[in-house]
Amino acid sequence: MNIVIRPLHQLARVALVLAVSFAAINISQPALAQAPAADAARAHKVALIDMAVIFKQYKKFEVLREDLKAEIEQSEVKAKEMATNLQALQQKMKSFKEGSPEFSASEKQLATSSAEFEAFRRSAQREFLKKESEIYHTVYLEVTDAVAKYAQYYKYTLVLRFSSEELDRDNPQGLIQGMNRQVVYFEAENDITQPVLKYLNQKFTGAAGAAAPRAAEATRPGTSR
């Protein structure tokens, strides 16, 4: 039997390869064993929120809309005054003979006033639509911020919109829409609408206890929709 004696540098290389191979085996085995635990720790936890309820019952949204409504009413008062003046100019122009200097002057004044009224109406409409959009945008950002805080605190990984409104069997169209909802069943404790709404209202009114959204105080069995 022939015995092969390798040079020292070759033996060192073989020993290094074997050491690296064993190290790789020792490292990979615990990593694979820990993979299921890591996946379990990242399991999804889903929450639901009824945005329609939030917008209807959030006091700040109500106040902002009432303020806008007051501005619109003031604008309507001015528009009515301008419309009344236009009617008066029309009546005045009828008292003059067509083609007379007075008639021409009244006609010119009527045209100018009509243009001013139309410009005012269009400008007011654009302004109020812009303000209304800003209100919705502001409130939406506040709601999503509160939802994010709640989800992070209670370890929710996903928050979906849903409708908590009961199905109305007497309204065929509404019934069909309700039956097409994405959420068919959910656990009551996963509905975060009320705690988020409570937090938003407390924060807006400056009430105590608005440091963070709190979970619902009581839970109910699963709810089918």
Side-chain angles (χ1 to χ4, degrees):
M1 182 176 63
N2 295 327
I3 299 175
V4 179
I5 300 176
R6 298 179 182 273
L8 290 177
H9 69 277
Q10 291 186 2
L11 291 174
R13 185 180 302 171
V14 171
L16 179 61
V17 170
L18 290 175
V20 171
S21 299
F22 281 117
I25 293 173
N26 291 333
I27 292 174
S28 61
Q29 287 179 348
L32 291 173
Q34 293 174 1
D39 291 340
R42 288 296 301 164
H44 284 298
K45 185 179 178 183
V46 181
L48 302 172
I49 187 166
D50 192 331
M51 294 294 284
V53 171
I54 296 290
F55 272 80
K56 287 178 182 178
Q57 300 182 20
Y58 183 20
K59 291 182 173 59
K60 180 174 182 177
F61 181 67
E62 181 182 352
V63 169
L64 291 175
R65 292 202 68 188
E66 287 297 322
D67 291 343
L68 180 60
K69 182 180 178 181
E71 290 185 35
I72 293 175
E73 289 176 350
Q74 291 179 356
S75 177
E76 289 178 349
V77 170
K78 184 176 181 179
K80 288 180 180 180
E81 292 178 353
M82 296 177 72
T84 301
N85 291 334
L86 285 175
Q87 292 175 356
L89 286 173
Q90 288 175 340
Q91 292 297 324
K92 182 180 179 181
M93 190 173 62
K94 291 180 180 179
S95 64
F96 299 122
K97 184 178 180 180
E98 188 174 351
S100 65
E102 294 82 4
F103 183 89
S104 298
S106 297
E107 187 178 35
K108 184 177 180 180
Q109 186 179 4
L110 179 62
T112 301
S113 297
S114 296
E116 290 176 351
F117 173 75
E118 186 63 22
F120 173 80
R121 187 185 64 81
R122 290 182 178 180
S123 176
Q125 185 178 25
R126 287 195 302 269
E127 183 67 18
F128 292 137
L129 286 175
K130 180 181 178 181
K131 288 185 176 181
E132 186 178 31
S133 297
E134 290 174 350
I135 290 174
Y136 276 92
H137 183 251
T138 297
V139 173
Y140 180 79
L141 290 180
E142 291 183 4
V143 173
T144 54
D145 179 67
V147 169
K149 290 178 180 178
Y150 188 96
Q152 291 167 7
Y153 185 83
Y154 291 102
K155 309 302 181 184
Y156 285 100
T157 57
L158 181 66
V159 180
L160 299 175
R161 292 183 57 171
F162 87 118
S163 174
S164 60
E165 186 177 2
E166 296 289 342
L167 295 177
D168 184 3
R169 67 179 65 185
D170 296 327
N171 182 359
Q173 184 176 0
L175 181 61
I176 294 174
Q177 292 176 351
M179 292 170 61
N180 288 327
R181 293 173 183 172
Q182 296 295 324
V183 178
V184 179
Y185 173 88
F186 64 94
E187 294 290 337
E189 61 266 23
N190 291 328
D191 178 3
I192 65 174
T193 304
Q194 290 305 318
V196 169
L197 179 61
K198 182 179 179 181
Y199 164 74
L200 288 168
N201 284 329
Q202 287 180 338
K203 184 179 179 181
F204 175 63
T205 59
R214 296 180 178 179
E217 296 179 357
T219 58
R220 301 186 306 274
T223 304
S224 179
R225 295 288 173 185

